[in-house]
Amino acid sequence: MGDPIFVTSPLLPPLEEFLPYLEQIWESKRLTNGGPFHEQLERDLADYLGVEHLCLFGNGTLALVTALQALRISGEVITTPYSFVATSHSLLWNGLTPVFVDIEPDSCNLDPSKIEQAITPATTAIMPVHCYGVPCDVERIQEIADNYGLKVIYDAAHAFAVTLEGRSVLQYGDLSILSFHATKVFNTFEGGAIICPDAKTKQRINYLKNFGFANETTVVAPGINGKMNEVQAAFGLLQLKHIDQALARREYLFARYRAALSEVPGIRLPEIPGNVGWNHAYCPVFVDSIYPIARDELYELLRREGILARRYFYPLLSDFPMYRGLKGSSHAELPEAQKIASQVICLPMFPDMQEQQQDRIISLVCDPLHV
Ligand SMILES: *Cc1c(COP(=O)(O)O)cnc(C)c1O
């Protein structure tokens, strides 16, 4: 058995391409606090993604926590149980109460038809996730938010470069947040951003990510240190030169998985609507009862073969101790999320994955009883 194949492997350009950026940082001695690389990456990323204003952060979780602060969200926030823990943890860090609402089994996103029944007088916002980079039903979510006077903050950590009807999915809602963690489609080792609609909101977010300083002697809020440093920002500029190639490679690898696995009985791959320009951020497959072995047996089988597929997202957020027992958190109230969490397995997929590696995974999934 060769080296293990992880579920993902970071996009990492040749080291020699990064050295000139480091030399510039050493020369200027500008290390952080909105240095030249930071300012350039904010402009270049906004252009690349097709959004007006973008505010960089040290990581995506700080961006989520700050987005909630920026809009002064209080009370209850409706969110999905089918996500990474940072989504709901950001609510607890703001003293907010998550109210979990079930998902649609096809998109794995918050089910708009179930949002209204979860709204109470304490509800102030909805925090949906574009799970695996597949857009939520943004129109219906906005309609509900408008009717009830709620804010919408999208956790778009998976949705780098995703479009809907040719337009960036990051333009929907009041704010969207991105993650540039090492495991994401676009990384700055650690990093993140808030996408906001206007310069005034961006100004406030800039204060909040720098302790609340509006100028040398004025502090307007109990802000945090959420800043992205110059090494991260410079790396982001270099990554931008390679991202189109990485996205194309993801598309190619996902198409190979689909061609090989879509006819396997008991295995379902996600269907991406035709109006979506997807980023192929993950390769989730859903294992149902007609598959020869259980999902967890497939997970263990792959593990024994050195293939470290991951069950994103299992367990549900609502099953973790800090959320258990909250209103709406029981399995009976989240049947679709419960079912999807019991079926999902994300197969390894990353830009420099080799076809032979992928073929090994495919043959194991196609014929799990004849290993
Ligand atoms: C990765 C991720 C985050 C957190 O981002 P970090 O940059 O790791 O802090 C938030 N939400 C979702 C859905 C994620 O996958």
Side-chain angles (χ1 to χ4, degrees):
M1 193 163 78
D3 290 336
I5 304 175
F6 293 96
V7 70
T8 192
S9 171
L11 179 60
L12 208 51
L15 179 59
E16 57 273 20
E17 291 184 26
F18 192 44
L19 298 179
Y21 293 87
L22 291 178
E23 282 164 5
Q24 251 181 277
I25 292 171
W26 257 249
E27 202 157 312
S28 72
K29 296 189 161 52
R30 299 281 303 270
L31 307 188
T32 186
N33 285 50
F37 286 134
H38 177 281
E39 299 303 288
Q40 195 189 336
L41 184 61
E42 285 197 343
R43 285 192 301 271
D44 290 3
L45 266 179
D47 279 351
Y48 181 81
L49 296 169
V51 298
E52 278 293 311
H53 299 279
L54 180 148
C55 195
L56 292 171
F57 277 79
N59 62 58
T61 304
L62 283 167
L64 275 171
V65 168
T66 306
L68 292 158
Q69 291 269 322
L71 299 181
R72 289 183 166 276
I73 303 302
S74 63
E76 296 180 0
V77 176
I78 290 171
T79 191
T80 170
Y82 193 75
S83 183
F84 182 63
V85 286
T87 309
S88 51
H89 278 6
S90 73
L91 299 173
L92 294 193
W93 273 79
N94 276 287
L96 303 166
T97 305
V99 176
F100 296 110
V101 163
D102 208 4
I103 61 170
E104 303 171 315
D106 289 342
S107 69
C108 299
N109 289 328
L110 207 51
D111 183 343
S113 73
K114 297 189 179 139
I115 291 176
E116 279 187 89
Q117 67 206 44
I119 295 174
T120 76
T123 310
T124 60
I126 308 171
M127 185 183 270
V129 177
H130 301 301
C131 193
Y132 308 129
V134 179
C136 293
D137 189 340
V138 290
E139 303 290 354
R140 282 182 70 197
I141 289 171
Q142 194 59 54
E143 201 179 301
I144 296 165
D146 289 344
N147 287 344
Y148 289 85
L150 307 176
K151 301 285 189 199
V152 182
I153 299 173
Y154 281 105
D155 180 342
H158 302 171
F160 187 89
V162 171
T163 61
L164 188 57
E165 303 284 0
R167 172 177 170 206
S168 171
V169 77
L170 305 170
Q171 291 183 15
Y172 293 89
D174 294 280
L175 298 172
S176 290
I177 79 96
L178 287 170
S179 165
F180 307 145
H181 183 257
T183 54
K184 303 300 205 274
V185 166
F186 174 91
N187 85 76
T188 57
F189 282 42
E190 296 264 8
I194 300 180
I195 303 350
C196 57
D198 56 74
K200 252 166 105 174
T201 311
K202 174 162 170 172
Q203 169 92 278
R204 178 161 165 79
I205 294 168
N206 278 342
Y207 298 157
L208 285 169
K209 78 173 179 188
N210 189 30
F211 311 99
F213 277 109
N215 61 44
E216 221 180 290
T217 52
T218 314
V219 175
V220 295
I224 200 161
N225 180 359
K227 301 184 301 289
M228 175 181 278
N229 70 50
E230 284 291 276
V231 176
Q232 289 170 288
F235 189 72
L237 288 167
L238 176 58
Q239 291 285 61
L240 265 184
K241 297 184 181 172
H242 295 270
I243 189 67
D244 283 335
Q245 211 183 338
L247 287 166
R249 180 74 183 167
R250 284 180 175 280
E251 183 173 14
Y252 167 77
L253 291 168
F254 186 82
R256 279 186 104 242
Y257 268 135
R258 187 187 288 294
L261 299 180
S262 60
E263 302 298 317
V264 176
I267 293 285
R268 177 172 72 85
L269 278 86
E271 287 300 331
I272 310 302
N275 61 355
V276 170
W278 191 35
N279 60 3
H280 307 86
Y282 298 88
C283 184
V285 302
F286 304 97
V287 182
D288 73 22
S289 57
I290 67 164
Y291 190 69
I293 60 176
R295 187 275 309 266
D296 287 344
E297 290 172 326
L298 175 59
Y299 169 80
E300 293 298 342
L301 166 75
L302 293 171
R303 259 191 108 72
R304 283 196 301 275
E305 296 290 319
I307 296 155
L308 306 179
R310 296 291 300 270
R311 290 162 292 186
Y312 297 144
F313 289 98
Y314 164 85
L316 295 179
L317 300 180
S318 45
D319 284 337
F320 289 121
M322 60 296 295
Y323 302 106
R324 227 184 270 148
L326 282 178
K327 187 176 67 182
S329 284
S330 70
H331 288 185
E333 291 164 290
L334 304 166
E336 299 297 344
Q338 193 55 40
K339 186 168 163 205
I340 291 292
S342 74
Q343 294 184 334
V344 73
I345 187 160
C346 283
L347 300 179
M349 196 174 72
F350 44 88
D352 53 12
M353 178 182 228
Q354 301 304 305
E355 280 89 340
Q356 308 94 280
Q357 292 180 307
Q358 193 182 25
D359 289 342
R360 248 186 78 217
I361 298 167
I362 287 169
S363 64
L364 289 166
V365 175
C366 285
D367 202 4
L369 299 179
H370 294 93
V371 177

